[in-house]
Amino acid sequence: MSTKVINVGIIGQGRSGRNIHGNLLAKIPGYYRIAAVADSLPERQELAKAEYGCSAYPSWEEMARNEELDLVVNASPSHQHFPITLELLEQGLNVLCEKPLAKTEAEVDRLIEASERRGALLAVFQQSRYMPAFVQIRKVIESGVLGRIVQVDFTNNGFARRWDWQTLQSNNGGNLMNTGPHPVDQALQLFGTDIMPQITCIMDRANTFGDAEDYVKLILRGQGRPTIDLEISSCSAFPRDTFIVQGTNGGLRGSGSKLEWKYFKPEEAPEQKLQHEPLFDAKGLPAYCKEELTWHTDRWELALPEGTTLFEHMTEQLYMMLYRTIVDGAPLEITPQQVRQQMAVMEECRRQNPHVYGK
């Protein structure tokens, strides 16, 4: 691997720009250097100067005009992601944009076109692709021990009332756009990105103070594909497991920190044949189907280096992937085309819920 250090400019020093991107990049100085930040609040500019030893500007336009940057991290408010990213790409700058990348499939198409035309990299901060539990789930599924996968449940539930800017449609808010990019990205990876799924979506406004949804039930289906049951709710006082996988030979359940799965081996199972007549037990009495299967069980628990949080781990994995792409020419592992499909799914969800999003 090369030893080049990538000069980064960060747009925004709020929860995302500072707490996620800035704090992580500061921990991997051998790969990235925070050269500049842009934020409209003077106190945030001064804090960035003190913490990162970087330049600070009141606007992203001024930062882009005055700095030599290898990468711009767009951590602006959600509704500004598309227009700012488009302008940066038009200037020939590489961009890592926070989620959601845009609001519609058409907007993503414009970003992809600008990226290809200007030869600028377009990457999206979908760090949950690197969640260790999700990586482990993919390994278990790909091993084949669970058989054919029939259904996968993704659940991001809790009980919370919310009244900030991310509850507003005008800001690209709501649970689907705020939280949804992560489980929807994971779901599409398991469903398959080569076809568009059939979509059924129910939305509601339950505990939100804004006009965007805070309850989402999303079903993805396709011939020969697992059914995806994805739920994001702010009114669940008793949330279930984050992940549940149903297969023909067994199943899996768990969270981001613990997983367990069990399965039987077909070669160890009793031989059975379809019976067209009623079943009887040894005494000649009516009986149900009953057999003894030998179950095999496995478990997985999250293990990270001491002092590293799950969020830091996922963020670092994404940035190291991006480093390999920018410096060594490795292909992006999370592509704009994959995010385009995600936007198409979300767009259809809004279309199916005119009581929330109008006609």
Side-chain angles (χ1 to χ4, degrees):
M1 180 176 286
S2 304
T3 57
K4 173 182 170 62
V5 175
I6 294 175
N7 287 320
V8 182
I10 304 176
I11 299 174
Q13 282 294 282
R15 295 195 313 258
S16 176
R18 177 183 179 274
N19 297 355
I20 297 175
H21 297 276
N23 287 352
L24 186 281
L25 289 171
K27 294 179 180 179
I28 49 174
Y31 300 94
Y32 290 91
R33 169 181 170 264
I34 301 175
V37 302
D39 196 286
S40 61
L41 299 179
E43 58 269 27
R44 289 184 177 180
Q45 296 174 35
E46 294 304 315
L47 182 60
K49 290 178 182 178
E51 288 184 331
Y52 308 139
C54 67
S55 302
Y57 298 89
S59 71
W60 67 267
E61 294 95 338
E62 190 174 349
M63 180 182 73
R65 187 167 56 248
N66 288 281
E67 296 285 337
E68 292 292 330
L69 301 172
D70 301 308
L71 176 70
V72 178
V73 176
N74 184 359
S76 62
S78 299
H79 62 290
Q80 296 180 14
H81 289 174
F82 166 69
I84 292 177
T85 297
L86 182 60
E87 180 57 33
L88 290 168
L89 292 172
E90 290 289 0
Q91 294 181 28
L93 290 166
N94 297 325
V95 182
L96 171 63
C97 184
E98 258 288 357
K99 57 78 187 170
L101 174 62
K103 189 171 185 177
T104 67
E105 189 178 8
E107 288 182 347
V108 179
D109 284 339
R110 290 184 63 188
L111 295 175
I112 292 174
E113 189 278 330
S115 169
E116 294 175 346
R117 175 166 44 81
R118 296 291 292 157
L121 179 72
L122 172 60
V124 190
F125 190 61
Q126 298 273 186
Q127 80 279 21
S128 288
R129 185 81 67 86
Y130 300 101
M131 177 188 289
F134 180 66
V135 173
Q136 181 62 36
I137 289 170
R138 296 185 76 169
K139 289 180 180 178
V140 174
I141 290 175
E142 290 166 6
S143 74
V145 298
L146 301 184
R148 179 175 62 84
I149 304 305
V150 178
Q151 178 169 314
V152 184
D153 297 356
F154 293 85
T155 307
N156 291 76
N157 285 355
F159 194 96
R161 304 196 308 163
R162 190 168 181 177
W163 52 90
D164 65 339
W165 65 273
Q166 286 187 310
T167 66
L168 298 171
Q169 295 184 26
S170 60
N171 292 332
N172 285 358
N175 274 5
L176 188 59
M177 295 288 273
N178 289 338
T179 303
H182 298 305
V184 173
D185 175 74
Q186 293 174 340
L188 289 172
Q189 288 298 298
L190 298 186
F191 179 87
T193 58
D194 56 319
I195 64 169
M196 193 64 186
Q198 302 169 35
I199 298 166
T200 302
C201 183
I202 301 169
M203 290 181 175
D204 196 359
R205 288 195 293 259
N207 286 333
T208 179
F209 284 70
D211 63 350
E213 83 293 335
D214 65 342
Y215 171 87
V216 180
K217 168 66 79 171
L218 173 58
I219 307 295
L220 305 178
R221 294 172 295 164
Q223 185 67 35
R225 309 297 172 109
T227 295
I228 304 293
D229 183 328
L230 192 154
E231 187 173 293
I232 310 169
S233 174
S234 293
C235 54
S236 177
F238 299 99
R240 61 184 178 183
D241 289 322
T242 306
F243 305 104
I244 298 177
V245 180
Q246 302 178 39
T248 55
N249 292 350
L252 175 150
R253 68 177 183 178
S255 66
S257 59
K258 291 183 180 181
L259 300 171
E260 63 175 336
W261 59 100
K262 67 177 185 178
Y263 56 93
F264 77 91
K265 297 179 179 179
E267 64 270 20
E268 297 177 350
E271 183 179 354
Q272 304 291 358
K273 294 182 179 179
L274 176 65
Q275 302 293 321
H276 292 272
E277 302 297 329
L279 299 180
F280 298 91
D281 63 16
K283 297 180 180 180
L285 298 175
Y288 288 102
C289 290
K290 185 178 181 181
E291 64 179 351
E292 295 293 332
L293 294 174
T294 300
W295 288 100
H296 301 266
T297 61
D298 283 297
R299 289 177 172 81
W300 172 91
E301 289 193 20
L302 179 65
L304 296 174
E306 186 175 355
T308 300
T309 68
L310 174 59
F311 212 93
E312 288 173 337
H313 170 80
M314 295 188 297
T315 302
E316 182 174 356
Q317 292 297 305
L318 186 141
Y319 267 108
M320 294 312 298
M321 178 276 292
L322 193 56
Y323 183 90
R324 294 190 293 271
T325 297
I326 294 174
V327 176
D328 300 322
L332 276 174
E333 295 174 5
I334 303 167
T335 68
Q337 288 75 17
Q338 292 168 351
V339 178
R340 179 184 187 273
Q341 185 185 35
Q342 178 193 124
M343 290 295 104
V345 169
M346 294 184 179
E347 198 169 359
E348 174 61 18
C349 290
R350 292 192 297 272
R351 189 194 68 80
Q352 292 184 15
N353 289 270
H355 63 289
V356 177
Y357 281 95
K359 296 182 179 180

